Amino acid sequence: MDCDKSTTPEADSAIEVRNDEDSFTKVKSKKTQKRKREQDVADMDTEGPVASKRPQFPPISGEKLKGPDEMRKIPVPAHRYTPLKDNWLKIFTPIVENLQLQVRFNLKTRNVEIKTCKETQDIGSLTKAADFVRAFVLGFQVEDALALIRLDELFLETFDVTDVKPLKGDHLSRAIGRVAGKGGKTKFTIENVTKTRIVLADTKVHILGSFQNIKMARTAICNLILGSPPSKVYGNIRVVASRTAERF
């Protein structure tokens, strides 16, 4: 007798679960994929020659390094025309002979124009010459401004008295008087102790010197503007100056 095999519902459900498991593919975790990718990258081109040599470039000629001619323009205010005219030979000589630059005073635009040329050897000489002329225009003596050409670690800093404290009228005049002192005594003392040069032009204060010395002079001037007596400022400057001298 042929007898049909009857399947129970539990068996049918078990078969369906197996079929569903076979239809889905297992996904690998991200960590294993990342490790495999790193191994593949590490295995790539390991057998070939290692190209870790530094590239060698030929030296650049001086003409290509300079590039095109550059120009700087320094505006001259009206009250500095006469001093510029009187000291033009002292300004003209170091710029042309020492720095090998071209310089002229444009009468139409009232600017001192400085330009590089074929004889210019140092790229930074244009910046030195511009700083030198700018220092003279701000009111420094030619001899003091020449230090910007001879030394590399000198800077110019300018700030306004009202930047330290918003003063007006007589209060502003008294603050400027405290900085200058009687006959310029306070200003000269700050210059000698801090080894800087200071120019007071209306409410503007211009300081020429090294970074550390400018910091000391600026602190002293700010204390005078805020109302500190000069004797106290002198003492603080001398203490700071002696400490810096001991360090070096």
Side-chain angles (χ1 to χ4, degrees):
M1 281 178 68
D2 295 333
C3 59
D4 297 330
K5 295 180 180 178
S6 61
T7 58
T8 60
E10 296 179 357
D12 293 337
S13 61
I15 294 170
E16 290 177 358
V17 170
R18 290 177 183 174
N19 294 332
D20 292 339
E21 290 179 354
D22 295 337
S23 61
F24 289 105
T25 57
K26 292 183 179 181
V27 180
K28 297 180 180 179
S29 63
K30 292 183 179 180
K31 292 183 179 179
T32 55
Q33 290 181 357
K34 187 176 181 181
R35 289 174 184 171
K36 187 177 181 182
R37 197 180 300 117
E38 290 176 354
Q39 290 177 358
D40 294 340
V41 173
D43 294 339
M44 288 174 62
D45 298 335
T46 54
E47 297 179 357
V50 180
S52 62
K53 295 182 180 179
R54 290 184 179 180
Q56 295 181 356
F57 298 104
I60 301 175
S61 61
E63 296 178 356
K64 292 182 179 179
L65 191 62
K66 292 175 186 175
D69 292 339
E70 297 182 3
M71 180 184 289
R72 299 285 177 88
K73 296 181 181 179
I74 298 95
V76 181
H79 68 279
R80 297 298 293 173
Y81 291 160
T82 304
L84 184 69
K85 184 178 179 181
D86 296 339
N87 297 281
W88 180 250
L89 188 61
K90 296 180 181 178
I91 297 170
F92 176 87
T93 305
I95 293 176
V96 175
E97 293 184 358
N98 299 338
L99 301 178
Q100 286 83 32
L101 297 170
Q102 296 177 352
V103 61
R104 71 174 182 178
F105 180 66
N106 195 331
L107 294 174
K108 293 182 179 179
T109 59
R110 300 290 185 179
N111 290 334
V112 176
E113 298 177 353
I114 306 172
K115 185 181 179 182
T116 58
C117 59
K118 295 180 179 179
E119 288 77 15
T120 306
Q121 298 177 358
D122 188 8
I123 302 173
S125 57
L126 184 64
T127 304
K128 288 183 179 180
D131 291 341
F132 164 59
V133 176
R134 190 177 293 108
F136 177 78
V137 168
L138 290 177
F140 293 96
Q141 297 293 327
V142 180
E143 292 76 13
D144 296 334
L146 271 173
L148 289 167
I149 294 178
R150 295 172 180 170
L151 303 175
D152 293 331
E153 297 180 354
L154 291 183
F155 305 95
L156 273 172
E157 184 169 342
T158 302
F159 65 93
D160 203 307
V161 174
T162 56
D163 294 339
V164 182
K165 189 176 182 180
L167 301 171
K168 293 181 181 179
D170 294 339
H171 299 288
L172 180 61
S173 302
R174 282 194 291 270
I176 297 172
R178 282 196 300 273
V179 175
K182 186 178 180 179
K185 180 181 176 183
T186 306
K187 183 175 77 74
F188 293 146
T189 305
I190 296 173
E191 286 180 344
N192 293 332
V193 175
T194 60
K195 299 178 182 179
T196 56
R197 289 292 178 265
I198 300 170
V199 170
L200 298 175
D202 197 12
T203 60
K204 298 285 186 181
V205 180
H206 310 291
I207 307 175
L208 171 65
S210 63
F211 179 78
Q212 194 69 25
N213 295 339
I214 286 176
K215 184 180 178 181
M216 286 192 293
R218 185 179 63 239
T219 303
I221 292 171
C222 291
N223 290 335
L224 289 170
I225 293 170
L226 292 174
S228 296
S231 58
K232 185 177 180 180
V233 174
Y234 294 160
N236 294 337
I237 293 175
R238 288 192 176 93
V239 169
V240 175
S242 61
R243 286 178 183 174
T244 54
E246 289 174 359
R247 289 178 187 174
F248 296 106

